[in-house]
Each structure stands twice: as structure tokens, then as C-alpha cells.
Amino acid sequence: LAHLYSPELLAAQQDYLQALRWRPEGHTDSPPALSADAARERLALLGFSEIDLQRLQETQAPVRTVAIRAPLSGYVMRRTATAGLYVQPESALFEIVDLSEVWVVAEIYEHDMAVVQLGQEAEFVPSFPSPKRLRGQVSFIYPMIDPRTRTQKIGLQLKNPSHLLKPGMYGDVLIQT
């Protein structure tokens, strides 16, 4: 997704390489302060992957930037990362979503809610012409009525293996009662 420069990450790589090189004669383990395992754990906590660690061990040279890899397969829905951006550890650089399973939020008229229950089977029919109907079940019933529309929202969890459904789409929900 991106490459990140971090002085802390550079120092952690140097500590790790030093810990690998430094072993007193007759000792198989480094002292705790310079333990290769502790330095390796520090790199992992900073986001260094196993691939990065292997490359570091092979080359014995720290890298100035580290690759930021996606933790899951999916689509980038939002990107706040830009070249030269200063970031903190809690900064969200990307928002990635997996569309193989989606939530559909439907609005049910207040007078129809008496027949809708958790776990009930439902179908979602996309508003665009499609012969495909996606089956799911009522997974969540919102606890309040919208006073403006007099509807109550329900949530359906649907499998979306072909990624037919996209965020923001419209359609109809059919519930057998």
C-alpha cells in the first residue's frame, strides 16, 4: 500500500542486527537488554513483517523505508496517506473492506415489525436488473423507530462471493412471514 520512513524503525533494525552479531563467548543467548528475540518482537510490534525480517537477516543492512502491506484482501475504500505525510502510530492511512460478506440495512414500517424476528430468512433483490437474489437472514434489529419515517431498521448479513453488491447500493428486501 505504501512505504513508510521511521527513525524508530531504523533504530530498531540496527538494534536487532547488533543483537544478532553480539554473543559473548561461551554463551548461546544474548543478555536480555540486547536479546535478538526482544529486538525481533519490537520490530514486529512496529509492523515489520516476517518477509521484512528475513530480508534484514539476509542483507544485514537496515532499510530506510518499510512496506506497509494490507492485513487483508479487499478494496481500498478510503486513503488518507499521501507522500510526505507525518503520521502517528494511531493514524489510519487506509480503510480496506472485504466485500465477500456485506451488511444490508433495510427499513421496515413500524406496523410490520411485529412479524420480523432475528434469524428470519430474507432475500435481497438489487435495484439494477439482475436475475440474482441474495439470501441471508435478519442479523440485527435496531432498537428504535425513526420518528420522521416511522420505520425501524434491520440488518441482514449476506454472502457476496461474486462481489455483486457494493456499498451504497439500493434494492428491495423480501421477508417471508
Side-chain angles (χ1 to χ4, degrees):
L1 297 172
H3 287 285
L4 180 72
Y5 169 74
S6 164
E8 185 179 1
L9 194 55
L10 189 58
Q13 291 176 76
Q14 292 167 336
D15 290 348
Y16 179 62
L17 291 173
Q18 186 64 30
L20 288 176
R21 288 186 204 114
W22 189 81
R23 296 201 189 266
E25 281 192 36
H27 295 278
T28 56
D29 290 327
S30 302
L34 294 174
S35 163
D37 290 340
R40 183 184 184 99
E41 180 66 23
R42 181 174 168 215
L43 283 169
L45 289 171
L46 289 169
F48 226 62
S49 71
E50 277 299 317
I51 294 168
D52 296 327
L53 281 166
Q54 289 173 358
R55 191 173 298 128
L56 180 60
Q57 285 176 348
E58 290 168 7
T59 64
Q60 292 290 302
V63 293
R64 292 186 51 80
T65 62
V66 64
I68 304 296
R69 294 178 180 84
L72 59 106
S73 176
Y75 295 92
V76 175
M77 296 299 290
R78 187 171 28 153
R79 176 180 67 101
T80 59
T82 58
L85 179 69
Y86 179 81
V87 297
Q88 295 291 329
E90 66 276 1
S91 299
L93 302 177
F94 297 92
E95 183 179 320
I96 301 170
V97 296
D98 175 10
L99 295 178
S100 61
E101 192 170 278
V102 297
W103 276 85
V104 170
V105 177
E107 293 184 5
I108 309 294
Y109 288 113
E110 168 177 34
H111 61 271
D112 292 330
M113 280 308 299
V115 293
V116 177
Q117 298 174 6
L118 284 174
Q120 199 167 9
E121 294 294 317
E123 284 185 328
F124 178 76
V125 183
S127 62
F128 61 86
S130 171
K132 207 165 203 176
R133 291 179 173 202
L134 297 162
R135 294 183 184 276
Q137 58 182 327
V138 177
S139 301
F140 189 78
I141 298 176
Y142 288 72
M144 58 201 144
I145 302 286
D146 183 330
R148 190 176 40 82
T149 62
R150 305 308 303 163
T151 59
Q152 186 170 9
K153 293 182 180 182
I154 63 168
L156 310 175
Q157 203 167 353
L158 304 175
K159 300 275 185 221
N160 189 27
S162 61
H163 298 178
L164 177 71
L165 300 180
K166 309 287 188 261
M169 288 179 80
Y170 283 94
D172 294 316
V173 172
L174 306 174
I175 300 174
Q176 291 293 336
T177 59

